[in-house]
Amino acid sequence: MAIETQGLKVRPGEKLQLGRRPTRIAPVYRSDEHYKELLHDHVRRLSELQQKLYASDRYAVLFIFQAMDAAGKDGVIKHVMSGVNPQGCQVFSFKHPGPAELKHDFLWRASRDLPERGRIGIFNRSYYEEVLVARVHPEILASEGVPGQRTGGKVWEERYQSIKGLERHLCANGTRIVKFYLHLSKEEQRRRFLARIDDPAKNWKFNAGDLKERERWNDYMRAYAACLGATSTRESPWYVIPADDKQNARLLVSQVILDTLAGLRMSYPKASAEHRRELELIRRKLARGGS
């Protein structure tokens, strides 16, 4: 049975108030065992659809994940994509741009890592950092050497339009894009930070910079709300995924991914009559024990 996810989609131009969006909803699973069964089924179906995506060689698919620290992006990607053939899927993480990247426009580095036809691409953070982190930290924008050193609202509107233009272009040329914002509460983030500190095996996941970003929580919520409403389109929608329950978030994300791939209505290529005759000759030879 498919899980309902349409209510999680951001309408184009929607004036979002993330404080009114739930970070936890009633779970779609009844127990831990049921969760495992549902996820296993999703992973199995995803693997089948990936094979069709590769074989049909018509579309590429790009899934973008954005969130505050500790929202569970890595876990979602790890669990949901566990059954996907690694040769047909690539994951890219976007950190602070380096010297070479700062010499180019803000979309340049992302364009290098776009998936080719037949493959799935995953961006763990993305070019959207340039209208989120750069908006909360204007010094980042200043370091990019944008002509005029613009820092007002106009620069963000221009970047929204640039992003939508890129995504429109990609969609017109066969790349389907779906974007996920994992919506974590500030209290749940606090608990997960404490767990990282208390567990030696998770200490590497936490640094003092995470706490500094937490202090800008409200600024980030405003930046996310403006961004999601401005850049969610019919062709490349945003989904706000309640993320306080990690297992529920994984099932919601995997359902959206399944719906996206199934919506491409892919099929395996049909062999031509000539190819079928060739295959039949080869089969006869092999059946006789030929090399």
Side-chain angles (χ1 to χ4, degrees):
M1 183 179 67
I3 298 168
E4 174 57 43
T5 60
Q6 286 301 303
L8 306 176
K9 187 185 293 187
V10 178
R11 300 188 305 274
E14 183 177 348
K15 301 299 181 183
L16 274 179
Q17 291 183 296
L18 286 174
R20 295 185 178 181
R21 288 265 185 154
T23 59
R24 182 185 294 272
I25 59 175
V28 299
Y29 60 95
R30 297 186 298 272
S31 63
D32 286 348
E33 190 60 34
H34 187 221
Y35 157 74
K36 293 176 183 177
E37 291 174 4
L38 289 173
L39 185 63
H40 177 76
D41 180 59
H42 283 192
V43 169
R44 176 187 59 78
R45 290 159 57 196
L46 175 56
S47 178
E48 294 171 356
L49 287 167
Q50 185 208 13
Q51 290 182 50
K52 283 188 177 180
L53 178 72
Y54 182 80
S56 62
D57 196 31
R58 292 187 59 198
Y59 296 101
V61 182
L62 174 63
F63 297 114
I64 294 175
F65 291 86
Q66 293 285 160
M68 296 294 287
D69 292 323
K73 298 189 307 304
D74 293 346
V76 167
I77 294 168
K78 174 183 176 181
H79 287 82
V80 173
M81 308 306 291
S82 61
V84 171
N85 186 335
Q87 291 182 317
C89 180
Q90 290 181 296
V91 181
F92 294 96
S93 297
F94 290 82
K95 306 299 183 182
H96 191 281
E101 293 161 335
L102 289 172
K103 292 291 185 181
H104 294 268
D105 68 274
F106 78 97
L107 291 172
W108 175 76
R109 63 172 174 161
S111 65
R112 297 176 302 170
D113 299 326
L114 292 169
E116 58 190 277
R117 277 198 308 273
R119 287 176 165 78
I120 295 172
I122 295 175
F123 284 179
N124 185 349
R125 302 194 189 275
S126 67
Y127 44 83
Y128 279 99
E129 294 289 280
E130 296 289 346
V131 292
L132 295 167
V133 179
R135 187 165 188 167
V136 174
H137 295 280
E139 66 273 14
I140 294 176
L141 183 66
S143 72
E144 294 177 352
V146 179
Q149 292 295 311
R150 295 166 298 179
T151 58
K154 185 178 180 181
V155 68
W156 309 120
E157 291 301 324
E158 289 175 348
R159 289 193 168 192
Y160 294 153
Q161 294 305 316
S162 294
I163 288 171
K164 289 196 293 184
L166 171 67
E167 293 179 349
R168 190 181 307 115
H169 165 75
L170 292 173
C171 184
N173 287 275
T175 298
R176 294 293 179 264
I177 303 171
V178 175
K179 302 164 292 194
F180 299 99
Y181 168 62
L182 303 188
H183 190 26
L184 185 73
S185 68
K186 192 174 184 181
E187 174 59 21
E188 180 62 21
Q189 187 195 58
R190 184 185 71 84
R191 285 194 287 266
R192 293 184 188 182
F193 277 173
L194 287 171
R196 290 180 176 184
I197 293 170
D198 294 341
D199 184 351
K202 295 182 179 180
N203 286 172
W204 64 273
K205 290 186 174 183
F206 186 83
N207 62 66
D210 295 337
L211 200 59
K212 289 186 177 297
E213 294 302 285
R214 178 177 164 82
E215 293 171 358
R216 306 294 299 272
W217 184 276
N218 291 337
D219 294 332
Y220 274 107
M221 291 302 102
R222 285 190 288 269
Y224 268 110
C227 167
L228 270 55
T231 59
S232 190
T233 63
R234 185 177 63 84
E235 299 84 4
S236 304
W238 275 104
Y239 286 82
V240 177
I241 305 294
D244 281 7
D245 180 338
K246 291 182 179 181
Q247 294 180 333
N248 216 40
R250 293 165 190 166
L251 292 173
L252 293 170
V253 167
S254 58
Q255 183 66 63
V256 173
I257 290 175
L258 287 173
D259 292 344
T260 301
L261 291 171
L264 298 179
R265 302 187 182 279
M266 301 171 292
S267 60
Y268 290 108
K270 293 184 178 180
S272 65
E274 181 181 357
H275 190 204
R276 285 299 312 165
R277 287 192 294 269
E278 180 184 4
L279 291 175
E280 185 59 29
L281 289 172
I282 294 172
R283 188 186 186 285
R284 290 174 186 171
K285 185 176 182 179
L286 289 172
R288 292 194 301 266
S291 58

